[in-house]
Amino acid sequence: MPPQTRRTAFPKVVIERDTESEESSSDEEEEENDVEGKEEEEDEEEVDEHENGGTIEEVSAPKKKERTPITISLKKVCKVCKRSGHEAGFKGATYIDCPMKPCFLCKMPGHTTMNCPHRVATEHGVIPAPRRNTHNSLDYVFGRQLRPNIPTIKPAFVIPDQVNCAVIRYHSRRVTCLEFHPTNNNILLSGDKKGQLGVWDFGKVYEKTVYGNIHGCILNNMKFNPTNDGTVYAASSDGTISCTDLETGIALSLMNLNPNGWQGPSSWRMLYGLDINSEKGLVLVADNFGFLYLVDIRSNNKVGEAIMIHKKGSKVVGLHCNPVQPDLLLSCGNDHFARIWDMRRLEAGSSLYNLAHRRVVNSAYFSPQSGSKILTTSQDNRLRVWDSIFGNLDSPSREIVHSHDFNRHLTPFRAEWDPKDPSESLVVIGRYISENYNGAALHPIDFIDISTGQLVAEVMDPNITTISPVNKLHPRDDVLASGSSRSLFMWRPKEKSEIVQQKDEKKIILCGRAEKKPSKKFKGESDDSDDDILSTKAKNAKAKRPGPKSTPRNLKGKR
DNA sequence: AGCGGATGATTCC
DNA sequence: TGGAATCCCTCCGC
């Protein structure tokens, strides 16, 4: 059965309107209001009388069509557009958009997120693939080696939708990247904004190490050494590449772009994109000025000169080597492009293809198995999919509207492939926009079938109230790791979580700090441990608290 | 509980 | 071209 579309059980809020303000955004909540014990009064608040926070606001004719004189109003004003007559912000757990602004989801004017067509049915605005069969240079050069053999029947998707274990206050700054160990199934690496590198054995939940002296600031990307999985490479905004031995924590610095230290922001170079080309024995990194650097893995020496691969002065945030064809490289960055390169001919302006986006491209990945698809995450709130790099690359096969806005305080969202999915269609990405789940404003992690644009599942947990921009699916197991603010979470499918729980109860743990208001009972207890891991009992106790009454439902879109 | 701070892309001049 | 203003469903700690 197809996945259900999201229900729209939002509390009804009547927005008080000005005479000239146009459409209301809230008048079509008719179906299936199972709201039994709603805490917020949904029946229209009179803004004026009993709210003591009313501000005296001068509406001083900023709009041309507005009536001339200065009027003084006691009404609350919208904190977004500063006009009176409506208010933006949270009403309970539901966010009310400012109707004067374009939709926060799809960025189109004329409606708000509440009634955006993309919210009701995710596949609504998906642009279908133009099934053209043209030949391009990629086809000519790489076609024979790369031509995929993708099975036509999709297997059922297995969604890790239950928090299995979690660590909180592990990092002292927000998590920026995650990486599963290539051979040890229970090791997760995490990088943070401070430059710290975490090694977590989530099999033995309490075993974790933090290496704090490798980088001075943001750890932007990391990758295991394919020839020695005891070491990882990392690129940091401190301008260095590190190669760290995970056992000893001893880090080698392969490159330092700021040998003379801080000379001001215009000269400070930061490293963002990173990948490894094991066939060629190269570490590839890219900086914030548009340049790509190659480092030889064996000698640790720079190979050749830096090459400008994106607009001069713009950040190159992502690099990805094709998993099948080592001569193909994909890059993306702040110049609104993802670019495909031939490693044998790397020079400024020589990209094979330039994939245009309307905003910054947070990530661009080849598909993990065949390497023939491309998936990008752009700050225009759209995922873009190119079904075949041998097809027409002038426009994406699909654009999927999804809420993953840029926010300077959040790690940029990146849609990640499920490396286990043979059909190369399942993708995971955190959601920015919140939704009211039984009275709690939660930000789910979305599983999307990029072949159709359908939302396969949205997973969330009442204990995770923060946004989860960083997500990674396990290369072999049905496990999802997510980084949400400073916390790490591991998810497993419900059935498997229960099995684990019976076997080893200690593994089912939750952490208190992710909650806005930890219950007092457990707050004290968690304070004296330094890792803030709570037990099953804590979870159960918390479940009794007012608020989310039950674990919010998940959409099980298996087929 | 309410506030400040950290801080990046974009637009405007 | 570059600096200032703006954007405005963050999150944490005081």
Side-chain angles (χ1 to χ4, degrees), chain A residues 307-429:
Chain A
I307 305 147
M308 195 169 75
I309 58 170
H310 280 262
K311 185 182 167 186
K312 190 182 179 190
S314 73
K315 258 198 261 186
V316 183
V317 294
L319 291 176
H320 191 210
C321 298
N322 192 289
V324 176
Q325 173 46 256
D327 286 327
L328 277 182
L329 171 69
L330 182 58
S331 65
C332 65
N334 282 27
D335 64 352
H336 301 190
F337 279 97
R339 303 182 195 273
I340 305 174
W341 303 85
D342 185 337
M343 289 287 291
R344 298 166 298 189
R345 191 168 157 260
L346 272 177
E347 49 195 76
S350 71
S351 52
L352 298 176
Y353 267 90
N354 301 311
L355 311 177
H357 295 68
R358 295 224 323 272
R359 285 283 186 264
V360 168
V361 189
N362 291 342
S363 67
Y365 295 119
F366 289 114
S367 53
Q369 299 188 18
S370 74
S372 68
K373 301 184 186 183
I374 287 175
L375 168 70
T376 65
T377 306
S378 172
Q379 291 182 7
D380 66 355
N381 263 359
R382 277 146 181 84
L383 305 176
R384 285 177 177 78
V385 183
W386 284 263
D387 280 335
S388 170
I389 54 175
F390 311 114
N392 188 310
L393 291 174
D394 294 341
S395 63
S397 307
R398 268 170 307 285
E399 290 182 8
I400 302 166
V401 174
H402 177 266
S403 174
H404 49 257
D405 277 71
F406 170 77
N407 180 314
R408 67 189 138 170
H409 309 292
L410 299 175
T411 302
F413 290 83
R414 300 197 263 206
E416 302 279 347
W417 295 99
D418 180 358
K420 303 176 294 299
D421 172 21
S423 68
E424 298 185 320
S425 52
L426 189 61
V427 150
V428 68
I429 182 170

Side-chain angles (χ1 to χ4, degrees), chain A residues 118-135:
Chain A
H118 300 288
R119 184 190 185 99
V120 181
T122 16
E123 65 273 42
H124 176 91
V126 171
I127 298 169
R131 295 280 76 195
R132 280 168 291 193
N133 244 344
T134 54
H135 290 275

Side-chain angles (χ1 to χ4, degrees), chain A residues 56-73:
Chain A
I56 298 184
E57 172 69 11
E58 298 189 352
V59 183
S60 55
K63 301 283 168 192
K64 43 233 170 251
K65 62 182 260 188
E66 203 136 56
R67 304 168 297 272
T68 34
I70 292 174
T71 60
I72 303 217
S73 162

Side-chain angles (χ1 to χ4, degrees), chain A residues 4-17:
Chain A
Q4 312 150 31
T5 52
R6 290 179 209 146
R7 62 175 193 180
T8 52
F10 302 107
K12 186 187 295 175
V13 176
V14 176
I15 299 176
E16 190 192 51
R17 272 181 290 176

Side-chain angles (χ1 to χ4, degrees), chain A residues 488-505:
Chain A
L488 298 174
F489 295 89
M490 302 292 322
W491 306 72
R492 286 178 200 276
K494 191 173 183 181
E495 324 78 58
K496 303 199 176 184
S497 291
E498 282 164 357
I499 292 167
V500 174
Q501 183 174 16
Q502 289 162 4
K503 217 163 58 180
D504 181 0
E505 194 166 346

